[in-house]
Amino acid sequence: MALQQLKNRIKTWLPTGAVGLAGPLGGLLAVYILLVAGFGIYWSRAPAPFDVQAIIAESSSRPATGVATTLTAIQLGESLLSKPGGFLRNDIAPPGVLLDNIPNWEYGVLIQLRDLTRAMREVMSRSQSQSREDPDLALAEPRFNFQANSWMLPSSESQYEEGLAYLRAYLARLQDPEAKEAQFYARADNLRHWLAAVDIRLGSLSQRLSASVGQRRVNTDLAGDGAATQSTPVPAELEVKTPWAEIDDVFYEARGTAWALLHILRAIEVDFADVLAKKNATVSVRQIIRELEATQENVWSPMILNGSGFGLWANHSLVMASYLTRANAAIVDLRDLLAQG
């Protein structure tokens, strides 16, 4: 009876002629909501890991040094653009604009793609600091550094597509034995250069993930250098806590970062095989990959839980931070190992 009274009251509020449309419009709205929800759930699925060895076998007519790393960079970019829903971080319409987990996952992958192409442009394709940079990599790298939230004039996707086209051009020249100017130098110092960037990224993510529960931290910004100064004074102790609404964002950015890194390291294991074998460091790379693989386990909870450190509920951010911290420590050890004669 109460429901019928409510329906009658709503009808009195509707303009004349709209009462007959209320049913069909409500049905269309319900269908629209179901479609948006369905596509949103489908688009929120991250791509499955790809087999680096398989793409090398399928795409490489000549297994030259650098082909594995370049192919992996291309595959990372294609995964961002061709996964269900395409690139979502710049969407302005439902369901993409309503999602936040997968766009943050995309950002983590994108950051690693940017760091890799920067290292390829600056050191891996150059024999020394005074040598000429590769023309295709010089055009590819800035395309991937284009802002990730532009939906037109130009769109982020169009810039990343151009970056992939230049990477493919570089790959074609690497595979051409007559193209002497296209090079990839698999040296220990080049690998250490890229690993330094990875070290910084993982260290930052570990700190942000650990701050999910809130911590009081001693300010160590100037530790180790008595003459060091900084622009603005800060307290001796800091209260660090990730805002509640950003906890899942940081988690999925870290998950995307790890997803990209484990593929790049598998390619590094191929291109830098001789360097790693000489330093007896192949097992170190495999252990880093193992730690990163653990970050891709299924999240069975419908949401990212944020229990206290030793509380009753799980804290997914602290679990992710543990894996990334262990991978980061192994990367520091690997850099030191590569620096040894």
Side-chain angles (χ1 to χ4, degrees), residues 34-339:
L34 288 175
L35 286 175
V36 168
F39 278 110
I41 294 171
Y42 178 59
W43 290 2
S44 293
R45 299 174 59 186
F50 56 87
D51 188 336
V52 173
Q53 295 286 354
I55 64 170
I56 295 172
E58 293 174 2
S59 306
S60 177
S61 58
R62 175 174 174 259
T65 300
V67 166
T69 301
T70 307
L71 276 170
T72 300
I74 293 171
Q75 187 62 41
L76 290 177
E78 290 179 346
S79 296
L80 283 176
L81 300 179
S82 62
K83 62 180 178 57
F87 189 71
L88 300 175
R89 193 171 180 84
N90 62 344
D91 278 14
I92 61 172
V97 73
L98 303 175
L99 306 177
D100 64 345
N101 292 342
I102 197 67
N104 283 288
W105 181 92
E106 291 172 344
Y107 189 68
V109 176
L110 181 60
I111 289 296
Q112 290 309 309
L113 181 57
R114 289 172 175 176
D115 288 347
L116 177 60
T117 53
R118 182 181 299 112
M120 291 172 63
R121 175 186 180 180
E122 291 179 349
V123 295
M124 292 181 180
S125 63
R126 302 172 66 190
S127 59
Q128 53 188 341
S129 61
Q130 300 299 316
S131 60
R132 181 174 177 268
E133 63 183 5
D134 187 89
D136 286 320
L137 293 178
L139 293 171
E141 187 254 344
R143 263 63 178 187
F144 294 116
N145 281 276
F146 186 75
Q147 59 185 335
N149 59 354
S150 176
W151 65 280
M152 66 178 301
L153 300 178
S155 66
S156 301
E157 294 97 322
S158 66
Q159 293 298 294
Y160 302 154
E161 284 284 7
E162 289 184 15
L164 290 175
Y166 288 119
L167 282 182
R168 294 186 189 101
Y170 171 68
L171 174 65
R173 290 165 50 232
L174 274 182
Q175 296 174 310
D176 183 0
E178 301 300 324
K180 306 298 184 183
E181 75 285 356
Q183 297 291 344
F184 184 101
Y185 298 96
R187 299 196 311 246
D189 57 333
N190 290 347
L191 183 54
R192 290 183 67 246
H193 179 96
W194 173 71
L195 288 172
V198 176
D199 180 9
I200 293 172
R201 299 293 188 191
L202 292 185
S204 175
L205 280 171
S206 296
Q207 289 288 331
R208 292 165 62 197
L209 288 164
S210 299
S212 62
V213 295
Q215 293 179 335
R216 289 198 64 82
R217 295 179 181 171
V218 176
N219 184 2
T220 59
D221 293 345
L222 302 181
D225 189 348
T229 60
Q230 62 186 80
S231 303
T232 306
V234 295
E237 289 191 3
L238 304 172
E239 181 71 28
V240 182
K241 184 174 177 60
T242 303
W244 178 82
E246 297 177 10
I247 289 172
D248 60 334
D249 297 344
V250 178
F251 178 88
Y252 279 98
E253 181 184 338
R255 195 169 167 93
T257 295
W259 187 87
L261 275 176
L262 67 89
H263 290 98
I264 298 172
L265 284 167
R266 286 169 181 161
I268 291 295
E269 191 178 359
V270 175
D271 284 331
F272 290 81
D274 293 340
V275 172
L276 295 173
K278 180 180 179 181
K279 302 288 185 177
N280 198 24
T282 304
V283 65
S284 298
V285 173
R286 291 176 181 171
Q287 181 57 35
I288 298 170
I289 294 173
R290 184 69 57 86
E291 298 291 350
L292 295 174
E293 285 175 339
T295 67
Q296 304 302 303
E297 295 292 332
N298 289 329
V299 179
W300 296 108
S301 171
M303 62 182 297
I304 301 303
L305 298 180
N306 191 47
S308 58
F310 293 100
L312 181 63
W313 306 108
N315 187 300
H316 294 135
S317 297
L318 294 184
V319 174
M320 179 68 74
S322 174
Y323 287 125
L324 292 190
T325 300
R326 291 172 52 153
N328 194 20
I331 285 174
V332 173
D333 292 341
L334 177 58
R335 290 178 61 202
D336 292 340
L337 187 60
L338 292 171

